[in-house]
Amino acid sequence: MRKYIIVFMVFAFMACEKTFIVGGTVTDILTEDSIEGLEMGLYVLKESSSDYTDKKWSDLELIETATTNSNGFFSMELDDDFSMSSTIFLPLAPTDTLSVNAQYTPRSSEGLQYAYYSPKGDFKLKRSSHILFILTNFTQAEVLVRCGDFDALNSSLTYSPYLSFRNLLTGQEYKFDFYEIVDDDNPKYLGSKNLYIKTQLPAEPEKVFWEMTIQEIEIDYNTLEE
């Protein structure tokens, strides 16, 4: 009889433990689409600070993890006595190029630094790709490069032959369309190029707000296709 009483008391004690839920929804900062399969972590700074710019993973302690569902939602259950002071939500550092986490970087993202006491956080992540086109045999003064609805960050060839994209999902093939800028309203189509954008790991994996290594891709005008 005593054994049953002890078991009952244990369950009663467990039932009295209080918890609370934190988390939120993660979306692509450009497309506003939900990000599924992303591993999110709740971290606490080992030393109190409001500046995360140059932080390394060794400066943080991982408290809990969760994976986003098809709606980009994740949640974590924490003990009621846990303090959310000096905490930050971050996607876990990518360890392989097949993970969703390799597609997004905390750098220039939004909402991660705020602690939420409910599962209603709104987190917007920036894509990690950084593509640099080096154009050769182009004689046009200005060239516009377009990929779907996005244009290269710098379209002018007047002073520099470099065009860059920072908004592509890696591990995919894209069609890039090239135009000569005659005037702003009527660019002249020059041709297209299909390119596979490979996935990479962070250039400095020890940094929390990591940058992707720049992918330099040479485009020869003579290889453009109609």
Side-chain angles (χ1 to χ4, degrees):
M1 181 67 178
R2 179 179 296 177
K3 180 174 67 174
Y4 292 113
I5 294 175
I6 293 175
V7 172
F8 176 78
M9 290 176 65
V10 170
F11 278 111
F13 175 78
M14 292 175 62
C16 291
E17 291 185 354
K18 294 182 179 180
T19 61
F20 65 101
I21 303 295
V22 294
T25 301
V26 187
T27 56
D28 187 303
I29 200 170
L30 288 172
T31 66
E32 299 184 354
D33 292 333
S34 300
I35 303 174
E36 180 181 4
L38 188 83
E39 292 183 280
M40 291 292 292
L42 177 63
Y43 294 85
V44 62
L45 282 166
K46 294 179 180 179
E47 295 183 7
S48 180
S49 172
S50 59
D51 183 14
Y52 298 95
T53 306
D54 296 319
K55 285 288 183 283
K56 296 182 179 180
W57 292 109
S58 57
D59 297 324
L60 306 176
E61 179 184 356
L62 179 61
I63 302 301
E64 188 62 82
T65 64
T67 302
T68 58
N69 62 18
S70 59
N71 296 316
F73 178 77
F74 73 95
S75 63
M76 303 170 184
E77 185 174 5
L78 304 171
D79 292 338
D80 192 52
D81 59 354
F82 177 78
S83 172
M84 290 293 287
S85 176
S86 298
T87 58
I88 182 173
F89 287 105
L90 292 167
L92 271 60
T95 56
D96 64 79
T97 57
L98 298 178
S99 69
V100 178
N101 288 57
Q103 298 282 4
Y104 293 93
T105 171
R107 192 174 184 86
S108 300
S109 298
E110 297 178 359
L112 294 168
Q113 68 271 29
Y114 301 109
Y116 289 90
Y117 287 88
S118 71
K120 297 181 180 179
D122 184 17
F123 310 104
K124 300 179 185 298
L125 291 184
K126 178 179 178 292
R127 297 185 184 187
S128 59
S129 59
H130 189 175
I131 312 305
L132 184 68
F133 286 156
I134 302 175
L135 304 186
T136 60
N137 294 319
F138 282 77
T139 59
Q140 296 77 14
E142 292 184 282
V143 174
L144 170 68
V145 183
R146 181 167 292 159
C147 180
D149 295 330
F150 295 108
D151 295 342
L153 294 180
N154 303 304
S155 60
S156 175
L157 291 184
T158 305
Y159 303 104
S160 172
Y162 297 103
L163 303 162
S164 61
F165 279 91
R166 291 174 178 264
N167 47 23
L168 305 177
L169 280 175
T170 59
Q172 297 185 24
E173 184 173 272
Y174 290 93
K175 179 185 178 184
F176 296 90
D177 299 316
F178 293 76
Y179 300 86
E180 179 183 6
I181 300 178
V182 180
D183 59 62
D184 292 338
D185 297 323
N186 297 294
K188 178 184 176 182
Y189 177 68
L190 299 174
S192 301
K193 191 78 173 178
N194 290 319
L195 297 169
Y196 179 81
I197 308 302
K198 64 180 180 180
T199 304
Q200 301 171 286
L201 292 177
E204 298 178 283
E206 74 279 1
K207 287 189 175 182
V208 172
F209 291 103
W210 50 271
E211 283 276 20
M212 186 62 71
T213 302
I214 296 176
Q215 292 188 52
E216 294 188 356
I217 302 176
E218 184 174 337
I219 307 294
D220 190 323
Y221 176 76
N222 298 315
T223 66
L224 296 183
E225 302 173 353
E226 291 292 333

